[in-house]
Amino acid sequence: MSEQARARLAQAQGRVVASLVAGADPPEGFDAGRLRVQAASLMAKRRGVVARIRPDAARAAGPALAAEFAAYAAARAVPPPGYRADADDFAAWLRARGLLPDGKPRLWSRLFRRDRG
């Protein structure tokens, strides 16, 4: 594969990823509806993992967890590198909005972090 072909492929892949994780318009030739469904599925998975890592943040968001996480995610061009960073950034985002009190995560969350390396 030529360097030019690799560059075009990398750009196309970047547009697909941006559509899936950052809400960018779908690239030409992709079904917008299918990409929206996949993006929603990826967001739900990400939100679920973040809630398991930081149950204090999930509790603070309460019934509005899905909406709060969607707003948090929409405020970022790309997700942080890894679920732990994502969970901590979400908690900080909630804290900055006055939805999560200052303090350390509960014991379960700290144990989860230690066990997961």
Side-chain angles (χ1 to χ4, degrees):
M1 180 181 277
S2 72
E3 286 301 314
Q4 188 177 25
R6 285 178 201 262
R8 281 195 313 271
L9 179 59
Q11 287 177 336
Q13 288 172 331
R15 288 191 301 271
V16 170
V17 170
S19 179
L20 289 171
V21 300
D25 290 332
E28 185 179 328
F30 282 83
D31 184 304
R34 286 184 178 188
L35 282 176
R36 276 193 303 275
V37 168
Q38 186 62 40
S41 176
L42 290 170
M43 179 71 70
K45 177 184 177 188
R46 182 177 160 202
R47 180 180 64 241
V49 173
V50 164
R52 283 191 300 277
I53 294 172
R54 289 296 302 258
D56 59 326
R59 277 191 303 278
L65 175 61
E68 291 293 340
F69 193 81
Y72 153 78
R76 305 174 130 21
V78 294
Y83 286 120
R84 185 174 300 146
D86 205 11
D88 289 340
D89 285 359
F90 179 57
W93 186 82
L94 288 173
R95 190 171 293 111
R97 298 184 63 224
L99 298 173
L100 181 67
D102 285 333
K104 295 189 182 228
R106 292 186 180 252
L107 177 62
W108 189 90
S109 181
R110 290 193 309 265
L111 289 174
F112 182 88
R113 288 164 184 252
R114 187 178 64 214
D115 290 346
R116 299 298 186 262

